[in-house]
């Protein structure tokens, strides 16, 4: 008996171990060296065309794909119709390709896209249309040589439409932090491994809800170091990934960011946009509550009506009468009068008992 119990426990342990060793979402994988793999982690459809020597975005996939993984391929160019069929994409993974160019309109159909990973490609800029995607929260463009970005950003329409929360521009050869206008939802920016020397206060002020900022392996000067550390402390963000400053500089030499940043138009408009977003979400909550209330009242009303309909016929008749007339003018017809009317059909019009 004891031996049996031990065997069962052992078997259970082995199964658990085996399951843990299995690749993510193993069940239901269709595998073929030419075909992509289909998964359903959670309820989303994920298609993985990982490391398949693809030179273009494949057009034979199920169009309801929500997570499309095209990492480690040899895609050089994204065309305006590359994603035309795949409008349900929420997460698009394109890291480790050779993407150099992106035709205008390529990302326009991806209005549900929440995350895109374009890291480790050959991009020289971030296509500006990415910043106008209405659902985009996470953007990875690290390890690209974005030497045209600063120039191109001068043509950016701000405030951007994308509700950006996370931005990774690490190792992009940037000499300054990209200025994307107010980013009220941005909580993390990773700008490590860039030849950054200075920080403009306006760019910082545009990120009023920052939680962490990675500036490791940058070349920020002593003043920028002091300013960013003080700014992060002011907004309550972590300074874990910013360099530690060696000297304390006088505010004559290195002005505190508070007066230029905290009191700036950018900071205030970033804050007020964040407040507005919060208020809007409250508004939706109130609308939802009101709708629920209306629905309840309606249900109650219908229930009452049904309950009344079930009552005897005579009553139903008088009720339909009552409905035709305003409540206050509802005639009181005594049983005798009713009977009289019934007998004397000529006076029917004068009576209210038809
Ligand atoms: C920033 O990005 C780099 C490169 O992608 C990564 O190695 C690093 O861990 C990131 N930093 C944080 C704080 O996530
Ligand atoms: C910045 O503002 C604070 C108060 O808000 C003030 O005491 C300080 O003198 C100002 N500094 C400069 C350099 O204007």
């Amino acid at each position: 008996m004891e031996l049996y119990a031990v065997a069962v426990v052992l078997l259970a342990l082995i199964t658990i171990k085996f399951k843990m060793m299995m690749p993510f979402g193993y069940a239901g994988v269709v595998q073929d060296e030419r075909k992509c793999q289909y998964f359903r982690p959670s309820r989303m459809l994920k298609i993985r065309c990982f490391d398949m020597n693809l030179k273009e975005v494949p057009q034979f996939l199920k169009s309801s794909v929500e997570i499309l993984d095209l990492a480690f391929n040899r895609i050089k160019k994204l065309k305006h119709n590359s994603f035309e069929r795949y409008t349900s994409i929420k997460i698009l993974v394109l890291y480790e390709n050779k993407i150099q160019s992106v035709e205008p309109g390529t990302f326009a159909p991806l209005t549900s896209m929440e995350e895109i990973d374009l890291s480790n490609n050959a991009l020289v800029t971030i296509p500006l249309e990415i910043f106008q995607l209405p659902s985009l929260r996470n953007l990875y463009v690290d390890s690209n040589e974005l030497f045209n970005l600063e120039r191109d950003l001068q043509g950016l329409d701000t405030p951007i439409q994308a509700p950006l929360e996370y931005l990774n521009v690490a190792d992009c050869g940037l000499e300054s932090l990209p200025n994307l206008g107010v980013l009220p939802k941005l909580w993390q920016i990773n700008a490590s491994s860039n030849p950054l020397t200075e920080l403009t206060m306006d760019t910082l002020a545009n990120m009023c809800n920052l939680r962490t900022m990675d500036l490791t392996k940058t070349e920020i000067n002593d003043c920028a170091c002091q300013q960013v550390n003080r700014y992060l402390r002011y907004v309550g963000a972590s300074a874990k990934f910013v360099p530690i400053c060696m000297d304390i500089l006088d505010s004559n030499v290195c002005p505190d960011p508070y007066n230029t940043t905290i009191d700036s138009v950018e900071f205030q408009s970033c804050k007020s946009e964040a407040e507005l977003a919060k208020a809007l979400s409250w508004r939706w909550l109130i609308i939802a509550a009101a709708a629920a209330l209306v629905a309840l009242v309606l249900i109650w009303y219908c229930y009452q009506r049904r309950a009344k309909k079930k009552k005897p016929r005579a009553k139903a008749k008088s009720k339909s009468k009552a409905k035709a007339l305003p409540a206050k003018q509802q005639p009181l017809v005594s049983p005798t009068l009713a009977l009289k009317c019934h007998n004397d059909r000529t006076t029917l019009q004068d009576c209210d008992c038809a």
Side-chain angles (χ1 to χ4, degrees), residues 211-224:
R211 286 284 151 268
T212 61
M213 180 174 212
D214 191 342
L215 290 177
T216 52
K217 299 184 206 145
T218 59
E219 292 155 22
I220 55 166
N221 59 32
D222 292 344
C223 180

Side-chain angles (χ1 to χ4, degrees), residues 233-250:
R233 199 183 313 147
Y234 182 87
V235 296
S238 156
K240 193 173 164 192
F241 303 104
V242 295
I244 296 164
C245 315
M246 289 306 161
D247 307 307
I248 298 170
L249 300 173
D250 192 81

